[in-house]
Amino acid sequence: MIFSRSLALVTALSLASPVNSQVCGILPESTTGFTGEPDWQAIIEIAFPPWAKPANGCPRLNEVGGELLEGYKEFPIAEEGKFNPCYYTKAFAGLDPLLGGYPSPIDTHYPYEFAAPFMRQPGDGSTHHCPLDSPTSTPIQSCPQVKHGCDNGAKDCVKFSDDHGYGHFPPFVVLAAVKNAYNECAVDSDVCEWFDYDTNGCNIPKSTLDKLVYKSFGVNNTIQFQPPVIIDGLPSNTFYRQEYINQDNVCAENCRGPHYCSLDVATEDVWGDFCPYVHTGEKAGMYRHPHIALAAFELWIANLCMPEKCSSTWLDSPNGKNYGASKTSTSITWCEMENNEDLMSQPAVPYQWPNSGTEKSIFPGLELYEDMAVKPAAGSYVMEYVALKSVTSGATSGVAIGLATSGIMMVSTVLSFIW
């Protein structure tokens, strides 16, 4: 059982080396995965303890966009201060855990997110920077991300620039880099020296993460990595099992990364993030974001090094301070869904954004802004792309991409220890 592994891990931690001594070498291994594969689920459940799971396991559908299977129709009951064990959608990221979501990358202070600001535009708070005047029909995935591709056109590669450093790249890269360094006891042979509590609390500072990432994946001023999957029967250099991409080939070419889209939605070319995570088979509800694993791992190490300052649970640590208020949440404005009352619903076809936000809809629309033009969600946001005018031609729209003067908007709300 996962709970048993988590409990055993907590016990192991209580017997670990004292504060500021060498703490490497006790990273738990998965009992069902490859040799040396960390038990990320157990580590996540220490930082983000789950609600009780239904007796038969998480609810699941008979197929993508299908019906609930008999025997798997019971949903977990929300518990204060804990998190959803049956997770199907990122719609509630940044909101009260009682609603079923987990913190967003902005909330966990992921330094390579480079998010768009919350200014009522399509893709608000995401890594896609749609101009403020974008039509509501804009495919969010068509808007640029803040990153510089490599000269050879390699997909899984970013290069350094004077504007934004390496820009955005996925959290599973950083997770793998920190894991590698932890296992090797890198950086002066003391992982406790990674932290600077006065400036970054229980998070590892970006300056340290930069070094760790480059050590594992740096090549001639670029970061080159593999996707977090099994390649030729072996785990890639960023393998992360909890993505559960296209389990049992149930969505084939219609999957968008870990998002299980139906054929109709894929044909409509809706942003994949609006599709649910794995919701068929035995892995239904078990997807966990790699930025959540990274946040849990950072806190796990911080708790070893500074137990009196860094609680083992994220909500009780400085990292989770002031989390979950809807008015300042980092929740992305959602689209209209086929069924606005169903957690596993597919996006509506034809595509409609924003979500209607009616009383019956469980998905967040623009109502989270109330009467505000800008949501005061604490964090760093890049302004240069959203400030550009959109380029519209017929039914399609996009943005004229060019490097303007770099601009970072610091939202007035203060994040303790971070901003």
Side-chain angles (χ1 to χ4, degrees):
M1 296 289 291
I2 291 293
F3 175 76
S4 299
R5 294 205 303 274
S6 299
L7 186 61
L9 184 53
V10 171
T11 302
L13 295 186
S14 68
L15 300 175
S17 303
V19 180
N20 292 327
S21 67
Q22 185 52 265
V23 297
C24 299
I26 60 169
L27 187 61
E29 289 190 16
S30 170
T31 58
T32 58
F34 293 97
T35 300
E37 180 185 345
D39 192 345
W40 293 126
Q41 189 68 26
I43 293 174
I44 289 171
E45 290 189 357
I46 293 173
F48 301 93
W51 313 335
K53 194 181 282 189
N56 288 349
C58 291
R60 61 199 64 173
L61 304 187
N62 61 337
E63 62 181 358
V64 174
E67 304 292 332
L68 281 169
L69 280 173
E70 286 297 327
Y72 296 97
K73 295 184 176 182
E74 180 186 357
F75 285 82
I77 298 174
E79 300 176 47
E80 190 76 39
K82 295 185 177 182
F83 291 84
N84 189 357
C86 301
Y87 183 71
Y88 305 103
T89 173
K90 65 185 286 185
F92 314 108
L95 294 168
D96 190 322
L98 289 172
L99 296 173
Y102 283 75
S104 74
I106 300 170
D107 297 315
T108 62
H109 318 138
Y110 179 61
Y112 308 103
E113 187 71 355
F114 290 88
F118 290 92
M119 301 181 75
R120 293 178 172 263
Q121 83 282 10
D124 56 344
S126 78
T127 61
H128 291 282
H129 294 243
C130 301
L132 297 180
D133 65 347
S134 296
T136 58
S137 60
T138 301
I140 291 172
Q141 71 274 20
S142 72
C143 299
Q145 294 181 311
V146 179
K147 64 181 180 180
H148 294 261
C150 294
D151 296 333
N152 59 5
K155 180 181 177 182
D156 300 313
C157 180
V158 293
K159 68 178 181 180
F160 186 87
S161 76
D162 292 334
D163 298 274
H164 301 290
Y166 288 105
H168 171 75
F169 53 89
F172 57 74
V173 176
V174 185
L175 179 65
V178 176
K179 176 204 71 176
N180 292 344
Y182 180 86
N183 284 339
E184 296 169 3
C185 294
V187 186
D188 297 327
S189 298
D190 189 350
V191 297
C192 292
E193 292 184 4
W194 291 352
F195 296 93
D196 185 341
Y197 184 82
D198 292 337
T199 62
N200 282 75
C202 306
N203 282 115
I204 301 173
K206 181 179 181 297
S207 57
T208 298
L209 292 178
D210 286 346
K211 297 174 184 177
L212 300 184
V213 169
Y214 198 83
K215 184 176 188 296
S216 283
F217 302 106
V219 180
N220 297 328
N221 225 21
T222 66
I223 302 298
Q224 300 182 22
F225 52 92
Q226 297 171 331
V229 297
I230 294 173
I231 300 175
D232 297 329
L234 295 173
S236 72
N237 60 11
T238 65
F239 180 65
Y240 178 65
R241 182 178 299 277
Q242 278 66 28
E243 291 251 300
Y244 295 120
I245 296 173
N246 192 21
Q247 294 289 294
D248 302 318
N249 198 35
V250 295
C251 60
E253 66 274 6
N254 301 323
C255 275
R256 298 294 181 265
H259 297 272
Y260 287 57
C261 300
S262 67
L263 174 60
D264 287 346
V265 171
T267 302
E268 180 79 355
D269 199 23
V270 175
W271 186 36
D273 284 38
F274 289 139
C275 297
Y277 297 110
V278 57
H279 55 281
T280 62
E282 64 179 16
K283 302 302 182 184
M286 294 183 65
Y287 172 86
R288 297 294 182 269
H289 295 280
H291 75 266
I292 291 298
L294 176 62
F297 191 29
E298 284 184 280
L299 188 58
W300 186 77
I301 300 172
N303 177 255
L304 284 175
C305 297
M306 302 176 285
E308 73 289 352
K309 295 179 178 178
C310 299
S311 170
S312 61
T313 54
W314 190 83
L315 286 175
D316 297 317
S317 76
N319 297 359
K321 187 176 181 180
N322 299 324
Y323 172 73
S326 61
K327 189 172 183 178
T328 57
S329 76
T330 58
S331 177
I332 294 170
T333 302
W334 215 246
C335 71
E336 191 72 1
M337 303 299 281
E338 188 176 282
N339 182 348
N340 277 332
E341 300 178 58
D342 180 7
L343 288 169
M344 289 181 262
S345 178
Q346 293 286 323
V349 175
Y351 175 65
Q352 302 172 58
W353 185 94
N355 187 275
S356 56
T358 61
E359 189 173 319
K360 286 188 175 181
S361 178
I362 62 174
F363 295 95
L366 289 173
E367 73 277 0
L368 291 183
Y369 282 85
E370 299 180 358
D371 59 352
M372 299 177 292
V374 179
K375 193 195 300 184
S380 291
Y381 303 94
V382 180
M383 286 292 293
E384 66 182 80
Y385 294 116
V386 298
L388 296 173
K389 286 189 174 295
S390 62
V391 178
T392 305
S393 176
T396 61
S397 65
V399 58
I401 301 176
L403 289 178
T405 301
S406 175
I408 300 289
M409 178 182 73
M410 304 302 283
V411 176
S412 58
T413 306
V414 175
L415 269 179
S416 182
F417 300 107
I418 303 299
W419 312 116

